[in-house]
Amino acid sequence: MRVVEIIADLAVDDIDGARAFWAEYMGLSHEEFNLGWVARFTSPDTGQHVQVVTRDATAPEDATLSVKVDDVDAAYAEAQQRGFEIVHPLTDEEWGVRRFFVRAPDGTVVNIVRHRE
């Protein structure tokens, strides 16, 4: 498995309120996606972004980080082999990603994800 990108999942109470701050005030005006419970706001000039989450739609816990990998199946198998706690099983989500949640030894919940082709 190779890590492609790491994205902080910022907990917010309200996506619209987050948009007012991050998109309008901070200038991250390109809304890459918005599923109603998770959204990403990006600077059209620099590509810098923030991802905000109110409550994960399908997982029992919210992740602190989303880690994009090149091979999510290999990452899942290795997490199991190492005995890490799987918080949310390997799942093909309806919004086009394959992912699972794993708990790091410090308790951090990490969303390991790959976009499906």
Side-chain angles (χ1 to χ4, degrees), residues 36-79:
W37 58 271
V38 60
R40 186 176 308 146
F41 304 104
T42 303
S43 167
D45 300 323
T46 67
Q48 296 303 306
H49 58 262
V50 65
Q51 185 161 294
V52 296
V53 181
T54 57
R55 176 71 180 103
D56 196 287
T58 63
E61 293 186 44
D62 294 330
T64 302
L65 295 170
S66 291
V67 177
K68 291 183 180 180
V69 297
D70 62 345
D71 189 339
V72 71
D73 292 277
Y76 186 73
E78 185 173 347

Side-chain angles (χ1 to χ4, degrees), residues 74-111:
Y76 186 73
E78 185 173 347
Q80 289 181 309
Q81 182 265 327
R82 290 177 177 264
F84 295 136
E85 178 188 354
I86 303 299
V87 177
H88 178 64
L90 187 60
T91 305
D92 289 323
E93 303 288 8
E94 64 183 36
W95 55 90
V97 301
R98 184 166 173 80
R99 70 180 186 155
F100 69 97
F101 285 16
V102 61
R103 189 178 314 278
D106 68 0
T108 302
V109 177
V110 181
N111 173 25

